[in-house]
Amino acid sequence: MQTRLNNMNMAYSDEGQGRPLLLVHGFPLSRQLWAPQLRGLAGSARVIAPDLRGHGESEALSGPYSMDLLADDCAALLDHLGVTAPALVCGLSMGGYVAFAFYRKYGARAAGLIFAATKAGADSPEGKAGREKNAALAQEKGAAAIAQAMLPKMLAPQSYAARPEVVAQARAMMEGTSVAGVVGALLGMRDRPDSTPTLAHINKPTLVLHGADDQLIPSKEGEAIAAGIKGATLKLIPGAGHLLNLEQPQAFNAAVNGFLQSL
Ligand code: MLT
């Protein structure tokens, strides 16, 4: 589905009924990431998954896309859908950075938080330089060059080696991202604030999910988020890398379902 908000066309999926569950994808992906959750969780929640600006089928306005701006787009989508009840907000990787921003700006609209394959800290100086290098690479060679560089690290080694269908799904999402989207998100992530000070202020039920074999954001980052948030639960998912929800959908959905029931 498509709507117009914040001066752009935004594409989204909206399936099922019940407590709103907002799923925010990572970089440079799309709502296709959440296909196993749209299928598997729509029986127990109203699953809402946007394509962030510049990604998937949403419009690619020029960036930078600050994490606050991406959170504003998510809040505007909830408004458009008439969602007034607090939502369970789940973000994977860059989506997790957006979830932190959403919590800071719209905390009353969050019933709980799920941080998947993400981290609280800001980019180091080397990390910021890497963002700029990748933005230049995308401008020169397109999103496929970014996909080529990132893909081996996006999945657990065993998924990358033995699950060609998962590799193909990830590659298609990455290659489908517009250059403006890649650059806008890279510069937004470069400039994102450190969310470590936010951890101690989070007073909503929180679940932290991390692939045990995440090569892009190591699981110690998920452990640090869980350690910093009072009462948070941490689940490491075996046999999964960075795209844990796609690599191990049953384990991921079971964890989210259990959390939904506990709210
Ligand atoms: C993501 O998967 O969303 C990004 O790789 C996260 C990042 O680059 O920091």
Side-chain angles (χ1 to χ4, degrees), residues 65-119:
Y65 304 159
S66 70
M67 300 303 112
D68 278 3
L69 177 63
L70 297 178
D72 291 344
D73 292 342
C74 291
L77 178 62
L78 295 178
D79 289 343
H80 165 74
L81 296 175
V83 172
T84 49
L88 179 55
V89 180
C90 169
L92 182 139
S93 200
M94 180 178 77
Y97 312 156
V98 176
F100 279 120
F102 187 95
Y103 181 79
R104 284 189 290 268
K105 288 194 86 168
Y106 305 104
R109 302 189 70 170
L113 297 163
I114 301 176
F115 293 105
T118 195
K119 62 183 167 196

Side-chain angles (χ1 to χ4, degrees), residues 26-27 92-94 97 119 131 150 154 189 216-217 242:
F27 165 88
L92 182 139
S93 200
M94 180 178 77
Y97 312 156
K119 62 183 167 196
R131 302 289 189 196
M150 282 182 78
M154 278 287 204
M189 289 193 285
L216 211 57
I217 298 185
H242 194 57

Side-chain angles (χ1 to χ4, degrees), residues 175-254:
E175 290 185 349
T177 307
S178 63
V179 170
V182 169
V183 173
L186 281 168
L187 301 184
M189 289 193 285
R190 175 196 64 186
D191 298 339
R192 76 186 190 282
D194 182 5
S195 291
T196 310
T198 304
L199 300 177
H201 296 285
I202 292 180
N203 61 1
K204 305 280 179 181
T206 301
L207 175 64
V208 181
L209 297 173
H210 221 103
D213 301 322
D214 192 330
Q215 303 177 86
L216 211 57
I217 298 185
S219 55
K220 69 173 183 357
E221 299 286 356
E223 286 163 12
I225 293 177
I229 301 174
K230 198 161 177 269
T233 304
L234 170 72
K235 278 204 165 77
L236 291 185
I237 301 203
H242 194 57
L243 302 186
L244 63 163
N245 68 304
L246 205 57
E247 297 178 70
Q248 296 296 342
Q250 283 182 357
F252 188 93
N253 289 358

Side-chain angles (χ1 to χ4, degrees), residues 110-159:
L113 297 163
I114 301 176
F115 293 105
T118 195
K119 62 183 167 196
D123 279 1
S124 63
E126 301 75 45
K128 287 181 198 286
R131 302 289 189 196
E132 285 157 21
K133 214 170 123 209
N134 281 336
L137 176 68
Q139 267 156 340
E140 197 189 329
K141 300 220 166 116
I146 301 293
Q148 189 64 22
M150 282 182 78
L151 197 49
K153 290 197 203 144
M154 278 287 204
L155 302 167
Q158 62 271 35
S159 307

